[in-house]
Every structure is written in structure tokens, then in C-alpha cells.
Amino acid sequence: MPKAYRPLLPAFLLLTMLVAGSFYLMIKVSLADPLEPIFSLTLTYYQNHLSRSSFWMNALYSLYLAVSASLLSTVIGTITAYAIATSEKTWLRQFSEKVMQAGMILPYLYVVFLAFLMLGQAGFISRLALMLGFIDHKNAFPALIFDSAGMGMIWVYAFKGIPFVTVMTLTVMTRINRQYQDVARTFGASRLQRLLQVYLPLSRRVILWSCLVLFAYALGSFEVPHLMSAFRPRPLSAELYSLYLRPGLTSLSEAMALGVLMLVLGFITAGIYLGTLDYLLRNTTRFKWKGLTGKTPFETLWLTMLSVFWLIPMGYVLLFSFFAAIPFPELLPRHFSLQFWESTFRGNPMFFRALLTSLQLAAISGFLATLLGLMTARSLSRLPHNTSVGWFAFISLPLFAPAVILTIGLHLLMLRLALANSKTAVVLAHVLISLPYSTAILTTYLVGIGSEMEEVARTLGCNVPYYYRKLLLPLLLPGLFLSFCIGFLLSFSELFSVLLLGGGNVLSFSMLMYPAIMNSQWGTGAVMGSIFLSIHLLLFFLADRWVRRSVLGTDYLF
Amino acid sequence: MKSIIKHAGFLLIIAALSGFWLFGCGNSSQSVPEKTIFAPNDWEEIVEQGKGTSISILMWGGNPQVNRYMDEWVAPALQEKYQIELRRIPMNAPEFMAKLLNEKRSGMDTGTADLVWINAENFRTAKEGDLLWGPFTHWLPNQQEFYDSESPDLHLDTGVPIDGMEALWGRAQLILAYDTAIIAEPPGSYRELLNWAKENPGMFTYPNPVDDFAGAAFIRGAYYELTGLEEDELSREMSREAFWEISQPVIDYFLELQPHLWRQGNAYPASQAQLDDFFRNGETIFTMGFEVGKTLGMIREGTFPETVESHIFETGSIGGSHYLAIPFNAPEKAGALLVIDFLQSPEAQLQKYKPEVWGDMPAFAPVRLPPSFQKDLEEIEAQPGMPSLASLARYRLPEMHAQSIDWVKNIWQEEVGGQ
């Protein structure tokens, strides 16, 4: 066995089992006639989808949404990360980093709600315009939600996506040796040039990867399109969710077939899309335009604007936990009350049990995902480039499968393994979902660290455990924490997998939070959202502090 | 290049090996032991077996009033009466349907759910897919004593024959809500609504009937007013062509209404909850829902202003009933029967009817109740803002045939929504 694979083996076995198993079962369901007791092959469901005239139009619409949302988020997110990494004002840097972390944490369903509150025809901006006399009736405000250009949906994806790209790209950008920056400045490079010549080439991988995650999510997620899209054109994922909601013995098979089609479509287009982006990013150094010379306070302006843009909507979540409604056309809420906080803490016997279970599940999944991610990343960084990319594409498969479909496949798999209806099944599913994230984060770090140090250490007679303890782990620490936090966050936000794989034996926080948001119980939903947000902000804060305490200022990776 | 082939080959071998390990054993479902059959002789035996069990009920958790009723009133009462521990698990119907279908497919004979809250098409699917245990309603003492055996919803659930596979838990009716501060006199029928919408463009809409239960009921309601057919004619089985033909006036109506709807009918709210949001936010001035006590509950919470009132078209509104069923692989079937019987009891039904508790219409026949319970019922109905059972019953429309209910959605999607 090639030596490079040794650390890969446990991760590989687990992954092959989970990914290959659930995908095999997903495809099997999509090909089976559910009305027959014994498996009988049928292509009816695929034919049904492909023969619909709206299928290709809707597929194109899905791609349009995914490309524009991910591209917008990637461009703005990268600029923001650059602004944070190079800003001279420490407090602004730290503050806007926290705001971006918070933006990344907020669950999508909240962001959908915020979109209605902000962009709706009776929303905050429209009310403001009405009050200032820019429009004379709410219907004069442009339709930004349920519009065919998908502005509302793109806003939601970008609201979550920009912070994600920022946080991910920052892991590299804050660790780029400042000497490059100083050298470039000495030679008179403008800020734009420094971004293009130094920062972008070094953080190319992480930018591409974040873009891929957002693209896959925007293509496959159903909450956002289900709640915000018009009928024609309609994203495929909204159609899929509609099939899932529709009771009927064959609708699940139909949904599975659509899911598989989306998976194939997503995987192929992602390859082309990322290939193009990669080409562009490889060639940024050829770009000669100067721009942003001199001392314009660009970073300060950009970061302040961005923080305000994110804080106002997030403040609304907190506001709603104290007020039941903001009647049209007023800007401020009415009827202050603590009833929602009280009924959540006191009136709900399941609350603390669910919170505890979720903390436990999230901590275990975060830890396991980080551990497996480290093993995988170590191996990936030693494999030949093409094998490494292929392997990475394989573990990224779950990103492309719409959540409902993936969970149903995993459920069938867990039933076969006699693991269904247990915490183990839930944890395994969460590890599977988090693994692409942890692997990507840790690969970025390992590439940055490089292999020279290990070779030097080995030449000097250093054994492997000592090398890990004294060199590798301390250098990896920020990456390990970030990977843990993301795994924790993903596990905490999961709903379908807990419902289906836990089967009622596992009661999670999300099982109490999402029904409240989905059913317009905004008071209770806002209380849960505030708790959700504070738990994660606390976690990020603690991780940051620990990293700062144990790592010296000289941990440049590049 | 050689090394790549070597690497890829190695990975493939491992993948194949683990694949064999996983799927080599094939259909494990055929080797499971024969399912333990629960066949009680009489109610005493059920009580005997069901006492002291732990019962899991899977139910939609989106209404805090319902949750509180189950957690704070039902659970302690069951604990006291039968020492049963009731575990409420918030799970929507699509999820538990997927769960049961997968468990059936995989041959899992002992599941985790003892009870599910179900009705309509989900019930039909569950029945067709053999996902339920039963028949069992003949065992239930409270249903035998206090329920009207002639009542259609004890035999048919949205047109699907019940055959003893689910027990009636409560009744609801499609009710509109509007703000009296904005409109003094709401339209009283579908035809009046059209005129009203023309005068007030963009202020009315209904939830997307393809995905939402209330939205679908709103469309069905129009059939009773606009097709000119009698109620029993609509509940009869029809051919596809015949149904398409009688639907024409309804299609015309909704096409005429469409440009005057919110967003000119280019988009519809995804659910009644979203419509509630729009209503609260001032985007529309009507909302609708299936819980009789919902409006009152939202007003008390402060979500709706106090000027909001419930409203039913004089031409009638679709009624819906909801039920409890026992999954095929429920571990504690006797205990589940005890819980169902308790939830059907007059005490539990009256408590559920109180607007401050849940506001769900009781399923029993009031005339069959002992006098003390009748007095309690009158007290509840005397509260302001509470529609009486008799008045709701007067406007309550029966359901159409199950197949027609599906077609209504298809017709809307093809002729109205997709246009």
C-alpha cells in the first residue's frame, strides 16, 4: 500500500461507506417502481422530468441563480477579506470580522424572513421611501421578492455567502507575510495591484473552494426558493421540494430522480464554472490597471458600510423577540413584552433537553469532522495533484445533493446498518456534511505550511509525534478551531437529518426552532434565533481568544 | 501518469471491497423475524397492556398552543390516568411519511413512533403503502359512546374511506381573517370577492394550492359556489374529462381574479404561514387558515391587532377533519390506543376547544354528551369572538371525492398558476 494512504484509510472507509452507500440507495429509489414489492427497474421518473418543457428552462434559471449568487458573494467577500486583512484600524478590523462571523452563522430561514422585512413592498426600505416621500403607495416600490430576476433570492444567498467567503478567505489573507505587502508598496504598487499580485494568487484555492460551496448550496437548497420564488421560471430545487411535500407513493421516487438529475447537472457545471474562475484567478497578475492609489480611506469606508448593512437586519431578529409586530407603515415596533422569552424558557419542557442534545451532537460532530478532515487533508497534500482533486471531488459530493434527498438516502443506509433512530446515525450524517469543509480548511493550512519544515525536522532526527506536537499542530491550530466551529455550526443547524435519522429518539434544538420560523411564530422564532446566534458567537470568540493566546504573531503561512 | 493510475486503482479496490461488505448481504429485510402480532380480545386487555408504557407521538410542531395543550394538559393527565409517559416529537407529515416509507421498504418491524397526527392525502398514501396498523377504531369506548356514527368524517377522510385505520381527533374549517379597521364590510362570497379585488388591486391573495392545504381548500370552496353543482354531486366519483368540464367556470373565475391579486398573481405565498406574515406586515389585508381559534390566539399574543376578525363566506367554506393513526411498526400499540381514546374523551375535547387553549372544534356529537359536559360546551361558546359549532356547521361544506381533490391541484397548476 502506498505510504501516503495510511492516514487516509479510516476516513476513506467511512466516507466510501456513507457517500457511496447513500448515493447508491438514492439512485436505486429513483429507478425503482415503488408500487412493486420487488425491485423493478424503471426510467419513468427520469423521462417524466426530462420530457417536461419547463425542465431545461428551470434548470437554466437554477444555474443563473447559483452562478450570480456565488459570483457576487465571492467578489464582495474577497474584497472584504482583503480590506479586513490590510486595514490599519485594529478595532474596525476586529469588529467587522465579528459581524461577518455573525452573518455566516444566521440560519437561512432567518435570512429569508429578513429579506421580507427589508425588501418586501411593505418592508423596511419601502416604508422608509414612503415616509420620505419617494413613493406614494407601497405598490410603487419595485418587486424585489418573488420576481423573475430572483433578486430576493440572490440577496439572501449573498447575505450568507459574503460573510462565508470573507471568513474563509481571511484564514489565508491574515497569514500572508506582511513583508510582501511592504515590498510591493515600496515599489509603488497600488492597493488594487497588491490585491491582484500578492493576495489573490496566494488565496486562490480557498476562494475557489468557497465559491464552489456557495454554488452547490444555491443550486440544491430548497428552503430559499420554496419560500421566495415565483412559478415561472421556478428553480429545480423548489420543484423538488414541492414533490417531497406532496403525499403519494410515487412522489418520493420522482423527487429522487430530480435530485439525481440536479446532482449530475451541478457537478458538471461546477467543473466548467470553477475551471473558468481558476483560469481568471491564475492570470490576475497580468492585470495592469492601477486604481486605488494614494491614501483614500477605502478599507474604513467599505468595512463601515458593510457592518451597517449586516447589523440592521440582524438587530431586527433581536427586536422581534421582544415585540410581536411592526404594523405597516411604521418603522418601529409596538407592544414590548417578555412573553416570548418567558414561554421559551419556562413554558417549554423540551427546551433545555433539546439544547443539551444539540450541544452534544454538535461538539461530537465538530470534533470528528476535524479529526477526519485532518487525516484526509494530510493525505491529500501528499497525493499527486489529479488524484487529490478527484478524491476531493468525491468527498464534496454531499454538497451537491439536495438535503432532503441526501438525508433520505442516508436514512435507507442507516436502516441497513441497523443504526437508524440513534444519535450515532445523526452524528455520522453531520460528519459527512461537515467533512468537505474541514478538509478544505485544513488542506489550505497544510499547503501554506508546506513540506520543507517536516523534511528539515526529519533530517534532524525528529520523530512523528514530536513533529506533530511541536510544529504541525500549533501551526494548524487556527485551522483546527475554524474547522471545529464550522462543523459545530452545520450540525447545530441541521433539521432533516435529525428528524429522519434520529427518528424521534433524538430531540434537537433545530426541531424546536425551525417549526417556529416556518409557521410564522416570529416571537418564539426570534428568541430561539438569538440563542442560536449567541451560542455560536461565543464559540467563535472563545476559539479566537485561545488561538491568539497560544500562537505568536509570526505564524505566517506564506 | 503511471502513479496516477496506481493511485486510482488502489482507491477503486478499497471502494469495491467496502461496497461488497455493505451491499453483499443484499436484502436483509427478508431475514427479519416474523412481526409480533398484537390482537387484543377486549378493551380491558388493552388497558392492562397499555398501562405504564412510553408513547411517542409524531406531530406538526408549528403551533405553540397545540404544543402547550399536549405538554401541559394531556401529558400530565395521561400520566395520572394510565401512568403513560407521552413524548411529543415535533415532526411534519412529509418527514414522518418518508420515515415510515423507508422503514417499510427496509423491513423494520419495530419502529420508534406509536402515533402520528395525519389526514387527507397523507392518510391515503399511508393506507395505500400499508404504513398503518389497524383497523382499530371499533375498540375505542369514547368514540362508540359520544360520537355520531352517522357523521361523514367518521367514514371518509377527504374522500378516502377510513376503514377503521385512523381515529377522528378534531375538526377545523377554512376561515378568513381581515382587519375591521381597514375594511368595514368584507366580501361574502367568491363572486363578491372578485368585485372587491378589482376595486382593491394587489390586496388579496391565497397560498399556493399545490403545496399548501389551506390554499387548496380555498380553490375547492369555489367549486360549490361557481359550478352550480349540488354538494353530493361533487362528492361522487367522476371521469377525468367530466371533472375538467365542470371545472371550467372555476378556471375562468381564477383567471379573471389573477391580475387583481397581490403581485398580479405572478407569485403566490408558499404557505398559509407566509400569508400570515404578509397580512401582519401589511402586504395583504386578508389571511386564511384552518384553526377556528387561530385568529383569537394571534390577537391575544399581540401578533394581530385587536381589530382583526374571523370571516366565512355565506356560500360556505370547506371543512377539514384531522385524525390520529398508529404506524404499522409502532412498538406500543396498546398504549397508543389508550392515548387515542383519552384524546377523544369529552374532557380532552372540551379542553382543546377553549380558545385560550387551542380552539380546535370538538369531534363528538354534542347531543350525546351528559348534561354536565353540555353546560361546559355552552360556556366555551359564549365567549366573545368564538364562532359557535352550530353556525360553523351551517356553512360547512362536505369534501369532494379524493381523486377530484388531486385534480383540483393539477388543474390549478396547469390552467392558472403556471400561466
Side-chain angles (χ1 to χ4, degrees), chain B residues 180-208:
Chain B
T180 51
I182 301 173
I183 19 175
E185 212 173 300
S189 66
Y190 284 90
R191 285 197 186 88
E192 282 179 39
L193 174 72
L194 180 61
N195 293 330
W196 183 88
K198 282 179 179 167
E199 286 160 24
N200 302 276
M203 302 310 283
F204 181 86
T205 190
Y206 50 91
N208 159 13

Side-chain angles (χ1 to χ4, degrees), chain B residues 91-335:
Chain B
M91 200 186 285
N92 294 341
E95 278 92 54
F96 70 63
M97 292 298 290
K99 171 182 156 71
L100 292 176
L101 273 169
N102 278 357
E103 287 179 352
K104 184 86 192 176
R105 223 174 246 154
S106 311
M108 189 189 211
D109 278 348
T110 308
T112 56
D114 301 294
L115 279 174
V116 291
W117 187 17
I118 198 169
N119 75 348
E121 295 111 311
N122 283 310
F123 172 65
R124 186 182 62 199
T125 310
K127 208 171 155 225
E128 281 171 0
D130 226 354
L131 304 179
L132 301 176
W133 175 81
F136 66 84
T137 47
H138 58 281
W139 294 113
L140 304 167
N142 278 316
Q143 179 168 330
Q144 303 305 325
E145 194 175 345
F146 300 116
Y147 287 52
D148 175 14
S149 58
E150 302 287 292
S151 171
D153 56 358
L154 280 178
H155 303 284
L156 288 173
D157 173 2
T158 31
V160 187
I162 290 172
D163 300 330
M165 302 298 283
E166 60 176 3
L168 184 61
W169 187 16
R171 294 190 177 121
Q173 199 154 337
L174 186 70
I175 290 180
L176 300 176
Y178 70 103
D179 193 341
T180 51
I182 301 173
I183 19 175
E185 212 173 300
S189 66
Y190 284 90
R191 285 197 186 88
E192 282 179 39
L193 174 72
L194 180 61
N195 293 330
W196 183 88
K198 282 179 179 167
E199 286 160 24
N200 302 276
M203 302 310 283
F204 181 86
T205 190
Y206 50 91
N208 159 13
V210 181
D211 295 336
D212 187 86
F213 194 65
F218 181 74
I219 307 286
R220 289 204 299 278
Y223 275 77
Y224 295 83
E225 183 183 318
L226 302 171
T227 56
L229 292 178
E230 290 303 315
E231 291 174 359
D232 59 326
E233 288 176 279
L234 281 166
S235 52
R236 242 177 266 149
E237 191 168 357
M238 260 182 246
S239 73
R240 198 184 144 90
E241 291 69 33
F243 193 78
W244 241 257
E245 206 182 305
I246 65 143
S247 301
Q248 204 48 53
V250 180
I251 297 171
D252 294 342
Y253 173 85
F254 281 103
L255 283 177
E256 196 182 339
L257 180 65
Q258 193 163 30
H260 310 292
L261 291 177
W262 177 78
R263 282 296 164 77
Q264 294 89 48
N266 288 325
Y268 292 85
S271 64
Q272 54 162 306
Q274 203 174 54
L275 182 58
D276 286 343
D277 272 348
F278 291 171
F279 175 67
R280 192 173 62 176
N281 229 354
E283 297 239 350
T284 64
I285 44 186
F286 276 99
T287 185
M288 58 183 79
F290 250 101
E291 286 126 47
V292 177
K294 180 177 123 183
T295 309
L296 214 55
M298 297 281 245
I299 293 172
R300 286 193 184 156
E301 196 188 68
T303 305
F304 288 173
E306 276 163 24
T307 42
V308 171
E309 263 183 31
S310 299
H311 178 59
I312 293 185
F313 284 165
E314 279 143 30
T315 47
S317 87
I318 293 277
S321 305
H322 53 93
Y323 301 81
L324 293 161
I326 304 177
F328 71 99
N329 59 3
E332 301 286 355
K333 297 187 177 87

Side-chain angles (χ1 to χ4, degrees), chain A residues 1-12 375 379 382-383, chain B residues 10:
Chain A
M1 177 165 57
K3 209 174 168 187
Y5 290 117
R6 257 183 233 159
L8 191 62
L9 213 57
F12 186 73
M375 292 177 183
S379 316
R382 296 164 177 194
L383 291 178
Chain B
F10 168 72

Side-chain angles (χ1 to χ4, degrees), chain A residues 5 145 227 242 339 350 503, chain B residues 7 88 112 211 263 274 301:
Chain A
Y5 290 117
I145 291 168
L227 293 170
S242 199
Q339 54 168 332
M350 304 200 284
Chain B
H7 287 283
R88 175 177 69 82
T112 56
D211 295 336
R263 282 296 164 77
Q274 203 174 54
E301 196 188 68

